[in-house]
Amino acid sequence: MALGHKADKSFFDRKKPWSRHKDLVLNYYLPPYLAKVGRLGSPILLVDGFAGPGKFGDGSRGSPLIIAENAATAFHRGTAVRVLCIEQDVELYSELVTNTATYPMVECRNGTLQNFLPDIASAAETHTVFLYVDPYAIEGLDWAAFDTVFRHVQASSMSIEILMNFNAVAFVRRARAAMKMTAPEIEDGEDETSDPADSLPIGSELLSRAVGGDWWLDVLREGLSFPKEVGAIVDGVCRCLGKRFKEVCHLMVKERWGHAVPKYALVFGSRHPHALMLMNNAAARSREAFADMEKPGSPTLFETRPLDLVPDQSLLRKRLRDLAASPMRRIELVQTVMRREFGHFTDSEITGCIRKMLTEGILVSETGKAIINDFVRVWTRRS
Ligand SMILES: C[S@@+](CC[C@H](N)C(=O)[O-])C[C@H]1O[C@@H](n2cnc3c(N)ncnc32)[C@H](O)[C@@H]1O
């Protein structure tokens, strides 16, 4: 398959600011994930399916090194974990081999992820598998091929998860070009760094192959605004993943907080509600790290940072009041909030807010106490 010009290796000269977000999420997610699945007793396989060279020209770590370092920590604690890094480009592959040489649990392979999916699918019968998919844009996404691994979510009892960087903006641009529709209209300043290659038409069959069907044509026919169209495509991809994974969530990563159009969506699929909680916390912690960086130098009377960077705490209280209209165990309430407001609040923020609302008498617990465990049922007091 022909690659767009992003395959130009200048991509790896300097890490783009918005790429740091996916790195943070990965780096926050892997330690609790490895601790958790390490206790399941099965060997763990972490796959970086679009690995790149491992290091950028500015010295920053690429995903293979982030994964390798986390795996090494778990490995030295006695967890049976190995890492498979796959890179298509021969030169980048050779850099990858050099950059990961000090990690004995890392294996590098030259070829496409598709080439190695049969090996990954058979490993999924005996291993816990985490698959990280980070292509340049649309090329390399092959839903039917990926599904040979995803189907093990239902076919085997093993834990399989995917974290995918999905460039929905490139998808919509290319889909519009393929359908000979006008280019999307974008707010001023929201698209300074877009890549012209993202507007090159590719055949509609390649677009359908990337997202598991031609459902995207219906989205285009709706005549939505560009940000809504991008959101609807991400929702469609999540629905496709939802056919295999019980828990699917996504995070929109923007070039600047407050923008309407994301640079990419990080889409996550797992069968475990507990994994949803870990990923939610990783997303919330990475957002908090950015919020800290953007804190004004001197204190301000009102919050000046955008809501997608610093979520409104009153939204959490409102959500809890609405969602607890019928009784549910505290853990279910926490997970339901996370599904609605993914990455906005950590589990401790949500449980802290539940406790406060129990103290205030806005929520009621079946024990009558404000300090409760995950299995105590809570509900909203009727006024
Ligand atoms: C966006 S870069 C990955 C960056 C990397 N995840 C990181 O954070 O450092 C995509 C990489 O995938 C490689 N690639 C493209 N198509 C591929 C395929 N089908 N299978 C494996 N690698 C592929 C490209 O050569 C490129 O190095």
Side-chain angles (χ1 to χ4, degrees):
M1 195 184 298
L3 288 174
H5 78 266
K6 276 187 176 171
D8 166 353
K9 308 211 175 83
S10 64
F11 178 88
F12 293 106
D13 287 350
R14 188 179 57 85
K15 192 179 287 260
K16 311 281 183 303
W18 52 87
S19 290
R20 298 192 188 281
H21 204 134
K22 60 185 177 187
D23 294 353
L24 271 182
V25 170
L26 193 59
N27 203 36
Y28 282 138
Y29 182 69
L30 286 176
Y33 166 77
L34 287 167
K36 174 92 185 158
V37 294
R39 288 194 288 271
L40 297 176
S42 306
I44 303 163
L45 176 65
L46 306 175
V47 182
D48 191 343
F50 292 76
K55 227 186 236 173
F56 283 64
D58 60 7
S60 45
R61 296 181 305 168
S63 55
L65 284 187
I66 295 171
I67 295 172
E69 284 169 18
N70 279 289
T73 307
F75 183 79
H76 293 306
R77 275 200 311 256
T79 306
V81 54
R82 64 193 178 92
V83 181
L84 176 62
C85 294
I86 302 165
E87 171 53 48
Q88 181 183 39
D89 181 275
V90 178
E91 280 174 35
L92 295 176
Y93 165 74
S94 132
E95 286 179 47
L96 175 68
V97 170
T98 308
N99 287 329
T100 54
T102 51
Y103 297 94
M105 75 296 296
V106 176
E107 295 162 33
C108 300
R109 295 280 182 274
N110 181 214
T112 66
L113 170 59
Q114 288 85 333
N115 295 151
F116 294 97
L117 284 171
D119 297 345
I120 299 167
S122 72
E125 289 170 19
T126 49
H127 288 62
T128 294
V129 175
F130 176 86
L131 177 59
Y132 185 55
V133 173
D134 183 22
Y136 282 128
I138 305 305
E139 289 87 354
L141 292 182
D142 184 340
W143 202 271
F146 292 173
D147 200 50
T148 60
V149 176
F150 299 163
R151 68 185 180 78
H152 285 275
V153 175
Q154 282 139 348
S156 83
S157 57
M158 306 308 293
S159 162
I160 299 168
E161 296 187 356
I162 177 169
L163 180 62
M164 174 169 70
N165 169 359
F166 178 65
N167 189 337
V169 169
F171 186 93
V172 170
R173 286 178 176 285
R174 288 174 153 207
R176 279 174 161 257
M179 293 296 104
K180 306 206 179 336
M181 292 167 70
T182 51
E185 277 178 30
I186 295 158
E187 300 275 313
D188 267 1
E190 284 234 355
D191 206 28
E192 291 151 7
T193 53
S194 91
D195 191 322
D198 292 345
S199 301
L200 293 177
I202 57 174
S204 56
E205 67 290 352
L206 285 187
L207 291 161
S208 297
R209 188 197 288 186
V211 296
D214 63 2
W215 53 265
W216 54 274
L217 286 165
D218 291 336
V219 174
L220 256 57
R221 283 186 200 113
E222 284 179 52
L224 302 169
S225 66
F226 184 52
K228 289 220 165 78
E229 214 164 51
V230 168
I233 293 292
V234 174
D235 289 343
V237 166
C238 289
R239 266 196 304 280
C240 288
L241 268 186
K243 291 181 194 155
R244 294 297 192 194
F245 298 90
K246 204 161 153 257
E247 299 290 350
V248 178
C249 48
H250 73 270
L251 178 73
M252 296 292 206
V253 177
K254 299 175 181 164
E255 184 177 341
R256 298 229 176 82
W257 298 93
H259 274 183
V261 179
K263 282 312 275 185
Y264 55 90
L266 271 183
V267 182
F268 175 67
S270 170
R271 69 148 70 101
H272 300 285
H274 197 261
L276 163 86
M277 296 176 77
L278 295 184
M279 189 51 84
N280 173 83
N281 290 348
R285 285 183 64 200
S286 55
R287 183 187 42 68
E288 280 164 9
F290 283 101
D292 280 348
M293 283 184 248
E294 299 211 2
K295 222 179 210 157
S298 44
T300 52
L301 200 50
F302 300 105
E303 181 55 68
T304 51
R305 292 164 292 177
L307 274 177
D308 54 357
L309 182 57
V310 183
D312 181 358
Q313 292 295 320
S314 67
L315 173 71
L316 177 54
R317 290 173 70 85
K318 181 176 173 346
R319 278 278 177 261
L320 286 168
R321 219 185 352 245
D322 294 347
L323 293 169
S326 45
M328 64 176 98
R329 292 184 304 162
R330 185 182 73 173
I331 191 156
E332 287 160 358
L333 183 55
V334 170
Q335 289 163 354
T336 310
V337 171
M338 289 176 175
R339 290 185 194 106
R340 286 288 181 91
E341 304 294 340
F342 180 73
H344 285 179
F345 309 103
T346 60
D347 58 351
S348 47
E349 280 172 326
I350 303 171
T351 51
C353 193
I354 292 173
R355 185 198 294 190
K356 191 155 186 286
M357 290 171 77
L358 286 168
T359 312
E360 293 164 351
I362 297 167
L363 296 179
V364 184
S365 75
E366 65 182 332
T367 60
K369 295 181 180 155
I371 297 178
I372 56 171
N373 68 33
D374 274 343
F375 304 99
V376 172
R377 285 160 20 120
V378 293
W379 59 91
T380 309
R381 183 188 296 279
R382 295 226 169 81
S383 46

